[in-house]
Amino acid sequence: PPLPPTQCGACLSPAVPATAPRYPIQIECFLDLICPFSAKMFTTLYNDVLPAFKDDSDVSFVIHQVVQPWHPQGAMVHEAALAVMKVEPSAYADYVKAIYDAFRGDDKLFTDEHTWNKTRLEIYDDLLNLLPSDVDSSAVKALLLPKGTGGNEGNAMTQEIKWATKYHRARGVHVTPTVFVNGLEAGVVSSGWKKEDWIKFLEKRGSDFFQNKL
């Protein structure tokens, strides 16, 4: 089977400094884009935690998307986010935030209730309407439409969904959100954490083995 040409996931931290081979501490967040608890965690990371660590060369944050099959519309939502990462990677975090805001908003976009009687194209249209202004919507849409080869070939994002799914399965992720620190699951991390909790967790840079007990 084909293997991904680059590492799975979307790194939300700045490029690794040229003087360092990699960030010493990697925080991987496995999130479903239509999960209320994932939405809560991402919103805290986006609004408060990422700005606090934007100049920190020790810590990186990586998002891995987890499609949960009991919400079939989720596959389309995840396809759109992966398409944005292809077309305009710098807009990925803003787009994911827009999806979560729409999901948690008054209209509850992309919930089971909202999508029950919608077609696939109508869901795509809702997703395209959330694109940041600096993203080429026609390029994103092109990645979401059928390949045109007929049968069950899917679209240009089908393989990306397969890789994302294979990755989180290989890591044993089922519940969202799930957080890994330096490759190992960190069950202590909660979706209810505020900025202060994340800072306390990371401030000792692992000298307390991320137990906050020293």
Side-chain angles (χ1 to χ4, degrees):
L3 295 174
T6 59
Q7 293 184 38
C8 291
C11 184
L12 304 187
S13 302
V16 178
T19 55
R22 63 176 184 174
Y23 285 99
I25 300 168
Q26 184 181 68
I27 309 297
E28 295 175 280
C29 301
F30 289 80
L31 308 177
D32 177 15
L33 300 187
I34 53 171
C35 163
F37 302 104
S38 294
K40 191 173 184 179
M41 177 175 283
F42 183 86
T43 300
T44 299
L45 290 172
Y46 181 94
N47 288 339
D48 302 319
V49 181
L50 288 171
F53 286 90
K54 67 182 178 65
D55 297 320
D56 194 314
S57 59
D58 286 339
V59 183
S60 69
F61 294 86
V62 178
I63 300 299
H64 294 288
Q65 295 179 205
V66 179
V67 182
Q68 301 288 28
W70 46 86
H71 298 301
Q73 73 277 16
M76 288 158 257
V77 178
H78 283 273
E79 283 179 337
L82 290 170
V84 168
M85 191 158 65
K86 281 278 188 185
V87 172
E88 192 60 57
S90 63
Y92 175 81
D94 291 339
Y95 186 57
V96 170
K97 179 62 162 54
I99 289 174
Y100 279 136
D101 286 347
F103 173 72
R104 301 172 81 188
D106 292 339
D107 293 332
K108 301 188 185 305
L109 264 63
F110 315 120
T111 60
D112 291 346
E113 179 183 10
H114 178 264
T115 58
W116 202 265
N117 294 310
K118 288 198 171 224
T119 67
R120 184 171 183 169
L121 285 176
E122 287 173 335
I123 295 171
Y124 283 150
D125 283 341
D126 287 338
L127 288 159
L128 291 168
N129 287 335
L130 296 178
L131 290 173
S133 59
D134 58 339
V135 176
D136 184 346
S137 61
S138 61
V140 173
K141 186 174 183 178
L143 295 176
L144 300 177
L145 295 178
K147 287 183 177 180
T149 54
N152 205 30
E153 291 298 317
N155 57 29
M157 290 296 99
T158 300
Q159 183 61 67
E160 299 290 334
I161 288 287
K162 289 180 179 180
W163 282 328
T165 302
K166 190 172 185 177
Y167 189 79
H168 80 72
R169 286 177 179 173
R171 301 289 295 275
V173 172
H174 173 65
V175 175
T176 57
T178 295
V179 174
F180 281 64
V181 175
N182 295 335
L184 298 177
E185 186 173 346
V188 67
V189 180
S190 167
S191 62
W193 274 17
K194 305 297 185 184
K195 173 184 176 180
E196 295 75 20
D197 299 306
W198 280 100
I199 290 176
K200 181 183 178 185
F201 182 64
L202 293 168
E203 65 185 354
K204 295 185 176 70
R205 297 297 192 265
S207 63
D208 62 344
F209 306 109
F210 297 102
Q211 300 299 297
N212 297 326
K213 293 180 180 178
L214 291 184

